[in-house]
Amino acid sequence: MEGKPITPAPNTSNLSASPESDQQVLQIWGREPLKGHVKISGAKNSALVVMAGALLCSDDCRLRNVPSLVDVALMAQILAAVGVKIEQNADVLEINASQLIDAQAPYELVSQLRASFFIIGPLLARLGFAKVPLPGGCAIGARPVELHVRGLQALGAEVHIDHGTVHAYVKGPNKRLKGAKIYLDYPSVGATETLMMAATLAEGETVIENAAQEPEVADLANFCRAMGAKIQGAGTNTIVISGVPKLHSVDYPIIPDRIEAGTFLVAGAITHSEISLSPIIPDHLTAVIAKLQTMGAKIIVESPDIMRIVPGRTHSATDIETLPYPGFPTDMQAQFMALLTLSEGDSIIKETVFENRLRHVAELNRMGADIRVKGNVAVVRGVARLSGAPVIATDLRASAALVLAGLAADGVTTISSLQHLDRGYEQLEVKLQKLGAKLQRVKEGEPANAEAPVEPVRSGLK
Ligand code: EPZ
């Protein structure tokens, strides 16, 4: 493996998003048309859980099409902390989990990346014990993990929480989990993934009912099956796993990121620009495409994995309710809200998945939007124009919404707290610059020139 070895950082506190992103801001000169083609990166929410899934295998694993994101770097550090050898070489991760150690992932890391909780299932399945700090909440909600814990207990694990750490272990001589029938009160993506991974090495059959059906769950199942796991029904609401004693090495490509793709489709719509994207799996975007078509855009699938958006001259308002897949994805709610601020008419957006995922409303209203919130419902009254303003990003998808609003607004928008954006979008501003957008990343406090830079300025990103 000639890649860059990733070893546990001695001082993990510096593992937040790239420190410089705290002091940088994104300046966007709005109302520039976009054109051309954008490459979609591997799916963040697949890469993170598949990296955890690699703990199930005691041989070499190779993951391809892995996006270069702060969250992926954090997950790599968490794996390294429990003894995994992991090297990154461009978009390829070489992982070897043959020598796991009895260690606890550091809280400083886990508190920054909720997805690190995904390691509990594979560690329990491999070692018969696991100690993982509770991930805690984040900007969009409390993010409890009781569905994960109850499911692991159903599989025969003793679980108790002590001083903010989840201690789980399997009793009995062979320390092996036992298959069980599990019903999830809510089709939680993370709980489905945790339990599916744990069940791959359990004794006997596990049935997960009311399972999450997101494409990333199916991608994880395909990854595990490629290692020799016996899984049926992933992508439906009932998943059946027959435990096997061991899983073997694999070379696996991650699916394209449907949320990044959806974000660029909205970028085309909000700037009234025709752009194309690839690779893309159209079936993963059915709800998003249906909404864009309802609003008046045309979506053309040019080949199995190339999609083009031809926006309408104007966009009509539409209502959105976020739901578990295949319903409208909560991860696209903020981006659509930005688009709907400029549509004709009133739109009602209901966020049913997370309890605090409307924090982008205040910032969009600073840009001239007309949005009122009552509980988990936002009423968006379309306005003719947005105006550029200094705004603060509050979470990952809210950051994307502010970028999209900035692309459409009159004048300059300055977005701070870029650490959120860098967690989930690979070089978003470079990709937008290549499409003709005028934006640049500068040090906080630098005055924005009134005019857009003549040539697209290279992003501050390395
Ligand atoms: C995954 O989070 C994604 N993250 C999220 O993407 C995505 O928004 C979410 O699924 C829903 O699609 C990753 O895959 C890394 P859930 P996850 O468990 O697994 C509640 C992004 O922007 N719940 O389906 O945490 C929970 O509080 C991120 O890329 C419990 O109550 O989502 C939430 O309200 C954000 N108890 C709802 O279920 C539990 O034990 C959905 O959560 C687990 C979840």
Side-chain angles (χ1 to χ4, degrees), residues 44-45 143-147 188-190 331 353-354 357 397:
K44 165 180 86 81
N45 290 347
R143 314 292 293 272
V145 289
E146 88 285 349
L147 296 175
S188 153
V189 172
D331 292 351
V353 177
F354 288 106
R357 204 173 199 177
R397 305 303 175 185

Side-chain angles (χ1 to χ4, degrees), residues 189-247:
V189 172
T192 303
E193 293 169 338
T194 290
L195 301 174
M196 187 168 72
M197 289 190 283
T200 58
L201 295 175
E203 212 166 300
E205 181 177 88
T206 296
V207 180
I208 304 174
E209 293 188 318
N210 197 27
Q213 305 178 55
E214 272 70 1
E216 293 75 25
V217 174
D219 201 30
L220 173 65
N222 291 336
F223 166 72
C224 292
R225 287 153 57 124
M227 291 195 288
K230 291 188 169 51
I231 303 174
Q232 297 298 326
T236 74
N237 62 5
T238 304
I239 304 176
V240 182
I241 305 107
S242 307
V244 295
K246 199 169 169 358
L247 295 175

Side-chain angles (χ1 to χ4, degrees), residues 404-415:
L404 294 168
L407 292 175
D410 291 331
V412 184
T413 297
T414 304
I415 304 175

Side-chain angles (χ1 to χ4, degrees), residues 15-18 21-22 42-45 47-48 67-75 78 109-116 137-140 143 257 394-397 399 417-428 441 461:
L15 274 166
S16 65
S18 38
S21 60
D22 297 347
K44 165 180 86 81
N45 290 347
L48 293 175
S68 189
L69 301 170
V70 168
D71 277 9
V72 168
L74 283 170
M75 181 58 100
I78 283 160
L109 285 174
V110 173
S111 60
Q112 291 175 65
L113 177 64
R114 289 187 36 69
S116 43
C138 70
I140 62 177
R143 314 292 293 272
D257 194 314
T394 50
D395 56 81
L396 169 57
R397 305 303 175 185
S399 311
S417 296
L418 293 182
Q419 68 275 16
H420 300 294
L421 197 63
D422 294 338
R423 300 193 49 167
Y425 286 94
E426 186 176 44
Q427 299 218 323
L428 181 65
R441 197 180 269 238
L461 273 172

